[in-house]
């Protein structure tokens, strides 16, 4: 329950009784700050014109009225015109009982409006790497959170399966491949194709240096290097439908798709629909040509098509090259129009790194200039790059952290650390592998998602698997601990029933935990509004940390008072429920035993 919403009417009624009519905008409620005693705080300053009294007097009168007339209010205190209200034990126990009866606690009622979330968007010239992992985890988690907040969500992937970067890998394979395949090489297809992308770059740099040595400038050398000219020629042949080029393209992309599929499975990533640039760029070209005819765009002497955005504070943007080939903007115009038309979207969220901020500014502006009113409902979830302790990654130089290698390393490290801590004792090898996979992937996902998406982050694999601190394994272990307590209660024949709300006194640690459980729906709403899984991640850590303190400070199964023991078991079960639900929103499994 959102306390502010619940208590709003009670406070408004009190103001009306004491001071007459009230404008709802005058009622300002917020959670009480940690340094003060209370659950909710009313700001009285906007009410002084009605009360015609000073802030302290106004706060005290309202506090006395609420204490006398609202059963949920136990006491109040006044700090310089701020009325801090504390709720009663009865209120919090009722709240705990109510939460325990909810099947989908935290989830909002479904909406008929559709949101599309595009993420992943890999190029078919290289395998997925650590940066792609952040993209995929963010996109999948944001989609789950939006669904929990009541949205109808369509999760889509746009595969960049054509373009000059794809042709580079194709040219390198023709030059250096000697007909090898993933089967003959014993390597995943996306990795094999990625090797040729790196090989192209190395050979291209050698050609550039040779041209520079012969007297050409670096800029001219980059333009006339034979490998680059061959790649550009291949792109033109592809767009012209050359049979040999298309066949090689289909073959190499097929290798990559098989590799991607395994990586997606390992990460628990799926999509409702997958779009391919090769099937959408023509629609984008048609849109550009229509905009050219209407005078929205203009053509330069070399035949290239541009849009002039200087009056909007930007610059001029290329939409079609001089040779008629398209660019990323061309296909994004096409896919945006296609999606909003076919799916009747309320909004479209693109999960793309912050190096593309300008691109999405232009996309939105160009669509508006073309007359599409829905362009204002395009949002770019711009996330920061993932760096390693030793610095940035570079794909074309082959210095990236491969996604498959990282997943394997995380599982291996989880196995190693779990053995060191004795957490796999008594397990079969299959059970140990299952727990290690759960912990390793949980550590990876949590470490990435706990950081605000907009921030650049540094990923340290071993730090992420620490069983103490703000990590996935710490939260997973807390869930397993609670499940162990509940199993032992069942083994001892302890029946868990609804809390009796008579004479039961709660200690501060119990109230604190109930408050945190109660906050869960608000957490989901806030995470959805901010498109930030970090809100959910850090909530899961906070409630896990609070529960562990509760567990160490208070007896549960050995508590002699049956009513108190029952309440603590109910509370434990609800903490486990919100941890499991919250972690699921992050795509993380939590074990029942650990």
């Amino acid at each position: 329950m959102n306390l502010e919403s619940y208590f709003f009417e009670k406070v408004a009624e009190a103001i009306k009784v004491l001071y007459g009519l009230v404008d709802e905008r005058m009622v300002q409620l917020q959670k009480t700050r940690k340094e003060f005693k209370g659950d909710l705080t009313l700001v009285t300053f906007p009410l002084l014109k009605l009360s015609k009294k000073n802030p302290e007097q106004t706060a005290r009168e309202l506090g006395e009225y609420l204490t006398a007339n609202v059963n949920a209010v136990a006491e109040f205190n006044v700090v310089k015109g701020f009325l801090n209200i504390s709720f009663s034990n009865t209120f919090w126990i009722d709240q705990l009982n109510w939460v325990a009866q909810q099947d989908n606690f935290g989830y909002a009622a479904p909406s008929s409006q559709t949101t599309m979330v595009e993420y992943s968007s890999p190029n078919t010239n290289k395998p997925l790497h650590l940066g792609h992992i952040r993209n995929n985890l963010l996109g999948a988690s944001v989609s789950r959170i939006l669904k929990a907040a009541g949205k109808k969500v369509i999760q889509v992937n746009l595969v960049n399966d054509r373009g000059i970067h794809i042709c580079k890998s194709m040219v390198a394979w023709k030059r250096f491949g000697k007909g090898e395949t993933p089967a003959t090489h014993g390597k995943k297809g996306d990795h094999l194709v990625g090797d040729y992308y790196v090989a192209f770059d190395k050979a291209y740099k050698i050609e550039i240096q040779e041209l520079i040595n012969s007297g050409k400038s670096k800029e001219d050398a980059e333009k006339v290097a034979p490998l680059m000219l061959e790649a550009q020629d291949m792109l033109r042949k592809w767009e012209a439908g050359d049979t040999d080029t298309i066949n090689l393209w289909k073959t190499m992309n097929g290798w990559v798709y098989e590799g991607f599929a395994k990586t997606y499975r390992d990460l628990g990533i799926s999509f409702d629909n997958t779009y391919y640039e090769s099937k959408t760029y023509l629609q984008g070209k048609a849109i550009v040509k229509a905009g050219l005819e209407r005078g929205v765009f203009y053509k330069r002497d070399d035949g290239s098509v541009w849009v002039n955005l200087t009056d909007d504070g930007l610059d001029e943007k290329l939409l079609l090259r001089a040779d008629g080939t398209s660019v990323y903007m061309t296909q994004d115009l096409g896919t945006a129009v296609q999606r909003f038309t076919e799916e009747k979207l309320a909004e479209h969220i693109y999960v793309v790194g912050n190096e593309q901020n300008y691109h999405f500014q232009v996309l939105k502006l160009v669509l508006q200039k073309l007359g599409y009113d829905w362009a204002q409902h395009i949002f770019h979830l711009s996330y920061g790059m993932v760096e390693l302790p030793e610095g940035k990654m570079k794909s074309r130089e082959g210095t990236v952290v491969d996604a498959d290698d990282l997943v394997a390393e995380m599982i291996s490290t989880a196995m190693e650390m779990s053995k060191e801590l004795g957490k796999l004792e008594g397990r079969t090898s299959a059970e140990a592998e299952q727990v290690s996979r759960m912990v390793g992937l949980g550590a990876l996902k949590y470490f990435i998602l706990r950081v605000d998406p907009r921030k650049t982050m540094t990923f340290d694999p071993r730090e992420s698997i620490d069983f103490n601190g703000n990590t996935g394994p710490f939260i997973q272990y807390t869930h397993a601990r609670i499940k162990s307590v509940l199993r032992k209660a069942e083994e001892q024949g302890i029946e868990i029933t609804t809390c009796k709300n008579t004479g039961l006194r709660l200690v501060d640690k119990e109230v604190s935990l109930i408050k945190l459980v109660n906050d869960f729906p608000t957490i989901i709403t806030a995470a959805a509004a901010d498109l930030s899984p970090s809100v959910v991640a850090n909530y899961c850590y906070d409630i896990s940390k609070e529960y562990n303190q509760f567990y160490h400070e208070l007896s549960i199964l050995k508590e002699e008072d049956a009513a108190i023991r029952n309440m603590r078991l109910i509370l434990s079960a609800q903490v486990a429920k919100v941890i499991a639900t919250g972690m699921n929103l992050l795509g993380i499994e939590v074990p029942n035993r650990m």
Side-chain angles (χ1 to χ4, degrees):
M1 180 190 299
N2 185 312
L3 293 183
E4 290 93 325
S5 300
Y6 165 78
F7 210 61
F8 185 91
E9 291 182 10
K10 306 292 185 184
V11 174
E13 179 186 320
I15 295 168
K16 186 175 180 181
V17 169
L18 292 174
Y19 308 126
L21 294 176
V22 59
D23 184 337
E24 290 187 350
R25 290 172 295 182
M26 294 180 176
V27 183
Q28 296 182 12
L29 283 168
Q30 58 196 35
K31 280 190 176 181
T32 303
R33 288 164 55 181
K34 290 183 179 180
E35 59 264 38
F36 299 110
K37 184 178 181 181
D39 299 313
L40 273 185
T41 296
L42 173 68
V43 182
T44 62
F45 299 103
L47 305 171
L48 302 185
K49 288 184 179 178
L50 288 176
S51 70
K52 304 194 183 324
K53 296 176 181 177
N54 67 41
E56 288 78 5
Q57 289 176 308
T58 303
R60 189 161 297 283
E61 284 185 351
L62 284 167
E64 289 170 352
Y65 179 91
L66 291 168
T67 305
N69 294 279
V70 180
N71 290 334
V73 177
E75 58 182 336
F76 72 91
N77 64 83
V78 177
V79 179
K80 297 181 179 179
F82 293 90
L83 171 61
N84 299 321
I85 303 161
S86 296
F87 293 121
S88 65
N89 281 342
T90 301
F91 171 82
W92 288 120
I93 292 170
D94 284 344
Q95 210 33 44
L96 178 60
N97 283 328
W98 179 81
V99 170
Q101 295 166 7
Q102 305 307 303
D103 292 329
N104 293 301
F105 178 62
Y107 281 55
S111 163
S112 59
Q113 292 189 322
T114 301
T115 298
M116 182 172 281
V117 182
E118 178 191 295
Y119 58 99
S120 197
S121 303
N123 296 330
T124 56
N125 64 319
K126 56 190 175 184
L128 303 179
H129 56 61
L130 178 55
H132 291 115
I133 287 179
R134 189 178 198 189
N135 181 297
N136 280 280
L137 296 183
L138 277 173
S141 183
V142 164
S143 298
R144 293 188 190 96
I145 289 167
L146 290 173
K147 289 176 185 177
K151 305 260 186 172
K152 179 182 176 183
V153 178
I154 301 175
Q155 297 166 244
V156 302
N157 184 8
L158 173 63
V159 180
N160 299 303
D161 64 338
R162 61 166 295 283
I164 193 67
H165 51 291
I166 311 298
C167 292
K168 289 177 181 179
S169 292
M170 292 164 64
V171 165
W173 184 86
K174 287 184 70 176
R175 284 274 194 106
F176 317 122
K178 299 179 181 179
E180 75 171 345
T181 69
T184 62
H185 194 280
K187 193 174 226 182
K188 275 182 80 212
D190 51 338
H191 288 244
L192 184 66
V193 173
D195 288 345
Y196 284 105
Y197 183 62
V198 174
F200 179 96
D201 187 65
K202 289 180 179 177
Y204 177 47
K205 285 178 177 175
I206 292 171
E207 289 185 348
I208 290 171
Q209 189 58 53
E210 288 173 349
L211 290 166
I212 292 173
N213 293 342
S214 70
K216 290 190 179 295
S217 68
K218 185 174 185 295
E219 184 179 356
D220 288 341
E222 289 173 348
K223 291 178 181 178
V224 301
L227 270 172
M228 183 57 72
L229 293 177
E230 189 175 346
Q232 291 169 347
D233 182 58
M234 183 174 281
L235 179 58
R236 285 189 290 270
K237 286 180 178 179
W238 186 95
E239 292 210 5
D242 177 72
T243 301
D244 290 341
T245 302
I246 295 295
N247 287 340
L248 176 59
W249 169 78
K250 286 180 178 179
T251 296
M252 293 183 70
N253 273 359
W255 297 343
V256 172
Y257 296 146
E258 288 181 9
F260 283 173
K262 182 183 184 307
T263 308
Y264 286 141
R265 283 195 302 272
D266 287 344
L267 290 171
I269 301 298
S270 62
F271 307 96
D272 298 310
N273 194 5
T274 298
Y275 295 84
Y276 298 89
E277 184 186 355
S278 58
K279 296 179 180 178
T280 61
Y281 82 103
L282 289 176
Q283 183 173 351
K285 290 176 77 170
I287 291 168
V288 170
K289 289 176 181 177
L292 182 63
E293 292 171 1
R294 289 168 46 198
V296 179
F297 310 137
Y298 74 95
K299 183 178 287 188
R300 290 187 177 176
D301 292 340
D302 64 358
S304 58
V305 179
W306 296 71
V307 60
N308 188 345
L309 303 175
T310 53
D311 289 343
D312 301 284
L314 301 177
D315 57 11
E316 295 180 284
K317 178 66 179 176
L318 174 67
L319 300 177
L320 282 178
R321 297 188 184 94
D323 61 6
T325 56
S326 60
V327 294
Y328 277 128
M329 185 60 65
T330 320
Q331 58 126 49
D332 278 348
L333 290 170
T335 54
V337 172
Q338 179 184 353
R339 293 167 181 179
F340 272 90
T341 302
E342 292 178 353
E343 303 290 352
K344 312 298 181 189
L345 301 179
E347 59 184 354
H348 191 317
I349 298 165
Y350 293 88
V351 182
V352 182
N354 56 17
E355 77 277 12
Q356 294 296 326
N357 287 351
Y358 175 76
H359 175 88
F360 285 98
Q361 274 186 281
V362 172
L363 175 64
K364 193 168 185 175
L365 188 53
V366 170
L367 287 167
Q368 288 172 336
K369 288 183 179 295
L370 288 169
Y372 295 109
D373 293 337
W374 45 256
Q376 62 184 313
H377 300 298
I378 284 176
F379 302 98
H380 174 204
L381 174 49
S382 170
Y383 63 88
M385 294 296 97
V386 184
E387 297 180 357
L388 301 168
E390 56 268 24
K392 295 182 179 180
M393 302 179 293
K394 296 180 181 178
S395 295
R396 62 173 58 91
E397 294 180 10
T399 60
V400 302
V401 174
D402 177 81
D404 298 311
D405 292 344
L406 180 57
V407 167
E409 179 188 342
M410 293 299 295
I411 295 170
S412 175
T413 305
M415 174 81 78
E416 175 190 332
M417 294 183 71
S418 296
K419 283 180 178 177
E420 288 176 4
L421 295 170
K423 296 187 182 297
L424 298 179
E425 291 179 3
R427 303 267 185 171
T428 66
S429 58
E431 289 172 339
E433 173 65 29
Q434 182 183 26
V435 170
S436 299
R437 174 171 287 274
M438 197 181 295
V439 171
L441 288 174
L444 170 65
K445 294 178 180 182
Y446 184 83
F447 199 86
I448 286 175
L449 292 174
R450 75 178 190 181
V451 179
D452 186 301
R454 294 150 189 89
K455 295 181 179 178
T456 296
M457 64 168 294
T458 300
F459 180 73
D460 186 329
R462 196 164 184 88
E463 181 186 342
S464 72
I465 300 183
D466 189 348
F467 280 85
N468 296 299
N470 191 0
T471 66
F474 171 75
I475 298 167
Q476 289 173 316
Y477 182 68
T478 301
H479 181 268
R481 164 174 274 171
I482 298 171
K483 287 296 187 178
S484 175
V485 170
L486 297 175
R487 275 195 308 275
K488 289 177 182 176
E490 185 177 1
E491 291 166 0
Q492 294 174 25
I494 300 172
E495 184 181 359
I496 303 175
T497 61
T498 301
C499 266
K500 294 179 181 178
N501 208 340
T502 52
L504 191 62
R505 294 291 301 171
L506 299 175
V507 298
D508 289 347
K509 190 59 66 176
E510 293 163 338
V511 173
S512 179
L513 258 185
I514 295 172
K515 286 181 184 179
L516 277 169
V517 170
N518 189 71
D519 283 343
F520 189 50
T522 306
I523 291 296
I524 291 177
T525 301
D530 200 35
L531 302 178
S532 179
S534 65
V535 175
V536 173
N538 288 291
Y539 166 82
C540 288
Y541 170 64
D542 288 341
I543 197 167
S544 296
K545 182 172 62 174
E546 192 72 17
Y547 183 84
N548 279 286
Q549 292 173 1
F550 161 86
Y551 177 86
H552 288 297
E553 291 178 16
L554 302 173
S555 177
I556 302 177
L557 295 177
K558 293 183 179 179
E559 170 58 50
E560 295 181 359
D561 187 314
I564 294 175
R565 182 183 63 203
N566 182 67
M567 180 273 298
R568 289 176 182 169
L569 285 169
I570 292 174
L571 179 52
S572 295
Q574 302 323 302
V575 172
K577 181 165 70 175
V578 296
I579 287 175
T581 305
M583 293 292 269
N584 179 65
L585 294 177
L586 305 177
I588 299 172
E589 294 180 89
V590 286
N592 291 329
R593 298 174 185 270
M594 198 166 170

